[in-house]
């Protein structure tokens, strides 16, 4: 991982700690902290691969991390998965090293690699990075789950049949009965270009999926599919 963005983030934070306006200091501190988290992940992965922890008397990377970093084995496993994610998605690694996203955002990408697949994520990377660098991790997770449902619609049907995963639709009472509507994140995602295929699954509409709805324009992230939201 290229260390320059992390070093720049640390220098910027050091220049404002105890000196600059509190708001500016907090922003730079958060950026530096997030950048350090990404670097920690990279070094932990290198330590696990080299097994150098054994020379310090530890039987596993988890036990070494518990003793020397004061973190549990579960968190160590999460960090190890994050390292694999950063290695697989260099654009995510670059943004994380610069402090543009938090470790929790990286965990969402780890979820995406397991449940959506690398190809759809890479094809939607511009969209996902825009969300990751401007929104909190929970909103990125909503978008990632919506992407999964768009790529694997049969899984969504099965979940509905079991009475689960209805969070992407809203049912509101009206004088004549009830009205249904997609949530903003679902509307916004569906007006993007969704990958043509993932793990052998074909998606219609000439290699992409688009939903025509004027409401998706009002999503705070905008729409990157001009002419498809009319």
């Amino acid at each position: 991982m290229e260390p320059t963005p992390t070093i720049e983030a640390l220098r910027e934070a050091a220049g404002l700690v105890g000196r600059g306006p509190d708001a500016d200091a907090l922003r730079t501190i958060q950026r530096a902290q997030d950048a350090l988290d990404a670097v920690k992940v990279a070094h932990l992965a290198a330590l696990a691969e080299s097994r150098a922890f054994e020379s310090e008397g530890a039987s596993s990377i988890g036990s070494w991390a518990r003793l020397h970093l004061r973190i549990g084995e579960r968190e160590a496993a999460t960090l190890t998965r994050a390292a694999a994610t950063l290695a697989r998605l260099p654009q995510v690694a670059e943004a994380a090293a610069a402090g543009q996203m938090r470790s929790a955002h990286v965990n969402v990408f780890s979820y995406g690699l397991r449940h959506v697949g690398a190809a759809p994520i890479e094809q939607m990377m511009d969209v996902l990075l825009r969300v990751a660098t401007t929104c909190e991790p929970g909103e990125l997770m909503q978008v990632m789950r919506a992407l999964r449902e768009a790529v694997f619609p049969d899984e969504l049907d099965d979940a509905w049949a079991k009475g689960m995963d209805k969070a992407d639709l809203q049912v509101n009472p009206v004088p004549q009965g009830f009205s249904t509507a997609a949530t903003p994140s679902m509307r916004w995602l569906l007006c993007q270009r969704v990958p043509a295929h993932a793990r052998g699954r074909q998606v219609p509409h000439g290699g992409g999926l688009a939903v025509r709805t004027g409401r998706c324009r009002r999503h705070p992230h905008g729409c990157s599919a001009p002419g498809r939201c009319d």
Side-chain angles (χ1 to χ4, degrees):
M1 181 178 292
E2 170 58 42
T4 302
T6 303
I7 294 172
E8 290 177 353
L10 293 175
R11 285 175 176 167
E12 185 179 3
L16 288 176
V17 172
R19 303 175 189 175
D22 290 331
D24 292 341
L26 286 168
R27 279 188 288 266
T28 58
I29 290 170
Q30 186 64 58
R31 180 186 170 209
Q33 181 178 343
D34 295 339
L36 280 176
D37 283 343
V39 174
K40 179 173 69 175
V41 162
H43 281 286
L44 190 66
L47 181 64
E49 184 176 359
S50 69
R51 302 193 68 82
F53 55 81
E54 293 177 345
S55 65
E56 298 190 15
S59 60
S60 67
I61 187 65
S63 60
W64 184 92
R66 184 174 63 252
L67 179 62
H68 296 280
L69 304 183
R70 301 177 303 282
I71 63 177
E73 292 195 21
R74 183 174 181 179
E75 184 177 353
T78 299
L79 293 174
T80 302
R81 285 194 299 270
T85 298
L86 296 181
R88 183 65 180 82
L89 304 173
Q91 290 175 281
V92 175
E94 182 180 353
Q100 296 174 353
M101 68 175 69
R102 303 187 60 195
S103 59
H105 293 95
V106 178
N107 293 340
V108 175
F109 281 99
S110 297
Y111 166 91
L113 287 176
R114 292 196 309 274
H115 297 286
V116 181
I121 289 177
E122 289 170 347
Q123 292 183 48
M124 293 287 290
M125 184 58 73
D126 289 345
V127 172
L128 294 171
L129 280 179
R130 187 162 72 245
V131 179
T133 56
T134 58
C135 301
E136 51 93 17
E139 188 160 356
L140 177 62
M141 178 60 83
Q142 289 181 7
V143 174
M144 190 69 75
R145 284 175 173 162
L147 176 59
R148 179 188 179 188
E149 291 162 1
V151 174
F152 301 109
D154 290 346
E155 291 187 6
L156 178 60
D157 292 341
D158 292 342
W160 267 81
K162 297 175 182 177
M164 300 168 58
D165 297 342
K166 298 184 175 70
D168 289 314
L169 291 178
Q170 297 173 341
V171 180
N172 302 307
V174 294
Q176 292 78 23
F178 292 89
S179 172
T180 62
T183 60
S185 292
M186 178 61 99
R187 289 196 302 272
W188 164 76
L189 180 75
L190 291 178
C191 78
Q192 312 294 317
R193 296 286 295 178
V194 175
H197 60 83
R199 299 177 182 173
R201 182 180 298 279
Q202 296 295 322
V203 180
H205 301 301
L209 174 65
V211 173
R212 296 177 180 271
T213 167
R215 298 184 67 183
C216 69
R217 290 195 194 127
R218 294 196 288 273
H219 192 279
H221 304 306
C223 177
S224 64
R228 292 181 174 271
C229 301
D230 298 329

